[in-house]
């Protein structure tokens, strides 16, 4: 039942995503001492106009 | 004020969705002993490439 | 894999909680057409000093 | 590290969004007594068919 | 219906919390052009042993 | 800014927690190609009476 939610920018490379969830699952199963089958991961890919760091939208980060 | 968030695959049938939120709202209002008007539901429809169970993306579930 | 998160006040009666998750699970499994075993529910019981509706903390609701 | 998540309808006006995150960041940094640079905001724009208030989807709000 | 979730350290001063939710509610109602009564805020106060920044738990931040 | 939220049972061993967040941070930084300093992790330790799998509370799992 452990659930991992990942918030970040979009990653296009599916193979990279496959490897990522496999590794996160392994690490988490070991931490909780539970079977890998019980680990759920949700990836949320946020649009840069909907994320702000330090009061500034990501779409504006490269602006002067 | 109770808030219910539902994470799952996309459901296309709007009538099914209507019936679902009505039933969940009724059950939740009764559980908290609060009016149905106060119950908020958020449905998040996740893409199968962004959900992993047991270290495997949903898009790969039918692969050998 | 569907995940339901419930945010609301604390409910002390465990039997009520048992019946609630059973009913929510049944309704959700039917909505997604997935087995009940796959449905996970997380209940978050919020302290009244940490919830605000309309700009007012719940602990202050009965104040004039 | 404080993280603010905003759930609501879509707002098209980017300038309005810029002003909003700036103001929320300032208020939150002051509340926690932490630097503005540490404040992260995630905006989630929900589709009206995926939000229910009082057992009724937002898309049906104006229906009789 | 807009919902704001605030994740951060515990703040003991209730009056500060009152002022904070009032101000966040006002800013958010104005952004969405919706009544203040519809704005819900959830504050989550995280224990420093359950938050990590840069791979380091907050409880270890002052360690050498 | 990537944010990882981990929902699961309580883990008492702080050293295990330290190692876990370090490893998750490293894996996530590599996946997003972003510096480790930008990765935030929130651990939520859920009480077994507030989690249900398959319509059954975790506190009842060992019951017949």
């Amino acid at each position: 039942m452990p659930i991992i939610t990942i918030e970040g920018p979009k990653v296009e490379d599916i193979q990279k995503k496959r490897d990522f969830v496999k590794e996160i699952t392994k690490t988490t199963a070991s931490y909780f001492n539970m079977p890998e089958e019980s680990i759920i991961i949700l990836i949320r890919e946020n649009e840069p106009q909907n994320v702000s760091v330090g009061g500034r939208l990501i779409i504006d980060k490269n602006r002067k």
Side-chain angles (χ1 to χ4, degrees), chain A:
Chain A
M1 151 271 156
I3 301 160
I4 296 101
T5 309
I6 320 279
E7 307 266 355
K10 189 165 180 53
V11 171
E12 299 285 357
D13 184 337
I14 294 286
Q15 190 54 49
K16 213 174 161 187
K17 210 174 262 189
R18 273 188 194 106
D19 296 344
F20 176 60
V21 298
K22 194 180 285 184
E23 199 167 338
I24 293 284
T25 298
K26 208 176 127 191
T27 305
T28 305
S30 163
Y31 172 65
F32 285 116
N33 199 22
M34 292 173 77
E36 295 195 12
E37 288 66 35
S38 68
I39 312 292
I40 296 172
I41 300 176
L42 302 174
I43 300 174
R44 294 198 206 290
E45 299 180 324
N46 298 280
E47 291 179 65
Q49 67 155 277
N50 284 336
V51 179
S52 160
V53 180
R56 211 170 176 189
L57 298 175
I58 299 290
I59 49 167
D60 293 333
K61 278 288 159 185
N62 298 321
R63 282 210 189 168
K64 304 268 169 84

